[in-house]
Amino acid sequence: MRMTKRLILLLLVLSLSLGLFGCELPFLSPDGNDGDSGEPFTPTVYTVVTKDAFEATYADQLSPNEKAIYDALLAAPAGTEALEITLPELPRLCQGRAPTDEEMDQLSDDIGVFTANALYAAWLDSPTLFWLDHSKYSYDISVESDENGIVSLKKLTVTLISSMTVDAIAEKTAALEAAVKSFVPLGATVAEKVAYINTYLTSRIEYDLDAPNRSSIIGALVDGKCVCEGYARAFDYLAERAGLDVVCIPGYAYTEEEPNGEGHMWNGVFIDGTLYAVDTTWNDTTKKNSYLLVGSDTVCDGKAFGETHKPNMLAETGPYKAFALPVISKLGYGINP
């Protein structure tokens, strides 16, 4: 028996919720009952967020099924259109009969959650996914009955959507590699390398809201024109090449011009297990380099960093994951209480 269902899922990526850890939804568990007499397997509660604190990457918070999708995406060649994925925890629907429409809908909803979370985490963790629109994709699911009549998920295919052709992706990837080929992260300490990368970027990038690749490392490192997301992803990319532990932090920035906040992205750098903030965008636009390895209480341009920069996820719709966000130190690097 084989049934296939397709769902095209468009994420709404601009909602404004923060800190919703432990969100739950029903999940068709492989550990439910045996479905005698055609009864469905007992749904268990699937905890969307598996950890309530940020560790090193957003992937650390994914469930095994989400992590399988995440790993398949990162292992695939740039521009891959479809991922064939085997989930480690196969959902089972029923036994001795065909699944109902409601059961198939529930399965489809669960797979949608897995896929949304996996792609969002990959988008945050991997600046080289510049070609991927993580908020638009489709997926196929198929189920089959085994020799005992148990109906389980058989196959998951995630179709990725990109506005770029495979040739264009290859061209931009080559241009990116050429642009950073000669990059050498000078400095003996983490702080020195951070300062060098900051100067490297601010001396080569112009903040430009109208740049065609403004939100990616292509805009930052190839075109030399981008907005905050491009700066943050470029810093992430170069810092990782320098052997630093770094993360992108999405959120909102609060200024006199935007007192209600506007979307923003900056970076966090781990030093001896403590996270400090770097905002290369504001270092460039203010020309002061005040935002280097600062803490939430560090006063920059008259205000504490924690007042002007508030982490917040941009995908908090329905049951999707409210990822734990990176928390920076209260004090800046090298400042003792």
Side-chain angles (χ1 to χ4, degrees):
M1 175 179 58
R2 178 181 176 90
M3 300 182 65
T4 303
K5 193 160 200 169
R6 173 172 293 242
L7 172 68
I8 296 188
L9 180 62
L10 300 178
L11 293 181
L12 302 177
V13 297
L14 293 176
S15 57
L16 307 178
S17 180
L18 176 62
L20 301 177
F21 304 136
C23 177
E24 297 179 340
L25 74 159
F27 171 60
L28 299 172
S29 169
D31 299 321
N33 63 38
D34 61 6
D36 291 339
S37 304
E39 292 299 319
F41 284 85
T42 302
T44 60
V45 173
Y46 167 68
T47 302
V48 177
V49 173
T50 57
K51 297 182 181 180
D52 61 2
F54 188 90
E55 293 184 357
T57 68
Y58 293 95
D60 294 330
Q61 301 175 60
L62 298 178
S63 70
N65 281 344
E66 293 166 344
K67 188 60 163 52
I69 300 170
Y70 175 101
D71 289 342
L73 173 58
L74 295 191
T80 296
E81 294 184 356
L83 304 173
E84 301 286 344
I85 301 157
T86 299
L87 299 182
E89 298 179 348
L90 290 179
R92 300 190 299 181
L93 283 75
C94 59
Q95 185 176 21
R97 61 171 174 79
T100 64
D101 288 344
E102 290 76 13
E103 289 165 340
M104 288 298 295
D105 287 343
Q106 180 65 65
L107 174 62
S108 185
D109 289 346
D110 291 338
I111 297 301
V113 172
F114 297 154
T115 307
N117 293 339
L119 297 189
Y120 195 57
W123 175 75
L124 286 168
D125 282 340
S126 306
T128 54
L129 291 176
F130 63 86
W131 54 272
L132 176 69
D133 187 339
H134 76 283
S135 67
K136 299 178 182 178
Y137 56 88
S138 66
Y139 56 85
D140 289 324
I141 54 175
S142 61
V143 300
E144 69 176 1
S145 176
D146 65 12
E147 64 275 8
N148 296 315
I150 297 176
V151 180
S152 305
L153 177 71
K154 176 187 178 184
K155 181 181 178 182
L156 168 63
T157 302
V158 177
T159 301
L160 306 173
I161 297 176
S162 175
S163 60
M164 302 172 62
T165 65
V166 174
D167 288 344
I169 294 170
E171 179 182 345
K172 291 186 180 300
T173 299
L176 175 62
E177 293 173 352
V180 300
K181 183 177 181 180
S182 60
F183 170 76
V184 177
L186 300 181
T189 67
V190 172
E192 289 172 348
K193 290 179 180 179
V194 166
Y196 180 80
I197 295 170
N198 176 78
T199 299
Y200 182 90
L201 293 174
T202 57
S203 64
R204 288 166 171 78
I205 300 174
E206 175 186 350
Y207 186 90
D208 189 345
L209 285 168
D210 299 318
N213 299 301
R214 57 187 172 274
S215 297
S216 77
I217 55 173
I218 299 302
L221 296 175
V222 177
D223 303 338
K225 296 182 178 182
C226 65
V227 295
C228 60
E229 187 179 330
Y231 281 89
R233 294 193 178 283
F235 183 90
D236 187 333
Y237 183 71
L238 295 181
E240 288 185 356
R241 288 172 65 95
L244 307 185
D245 292 328
V246 63
V247 62
C248 287
I249 304 177
Y252 293 89
Y254 296 82
T255 62
E256 292 183 1
E257 294 77 14
E258 296 289 346
N260 295 321
E262 63 177 343
H264 192 47
M265 182 178 281
W266 57 99
N267 295 99
V269 178
F270 287 97
I271 302 179
D272 297 328
T274 301
L275 190 66
Y276 303 93
V278 174
D279 190 337
T280 311
T281 307
W282 282 24
N283 284 333
D284 193 17
T285 56
T286 64
K287 306 302 180 185
K288 295 181 180 180
N289 288 335
S290 301
Y291 302 88
L292 282 176
L293 298 176
V294 300
S296 59
D297 290 348
T298 303
V299 176
C300 307
D301 292 329
K303 289 187 177 181
F305 185 85
E307 294 180 30
T308 58
H309 292 66
K310 297 185 182 298
N312 198 318
M313 280 304 177
L314 303 180
E316 299 276 343
T317 306
Y320 306 119
K321 184 182 297 297
F323 286 87
L325 292 157
V327 177
I328 67 170
S329 169
K330 287 185 175 295
L331 301 177
Y333 179 68
I335 300 176
N336 297 316

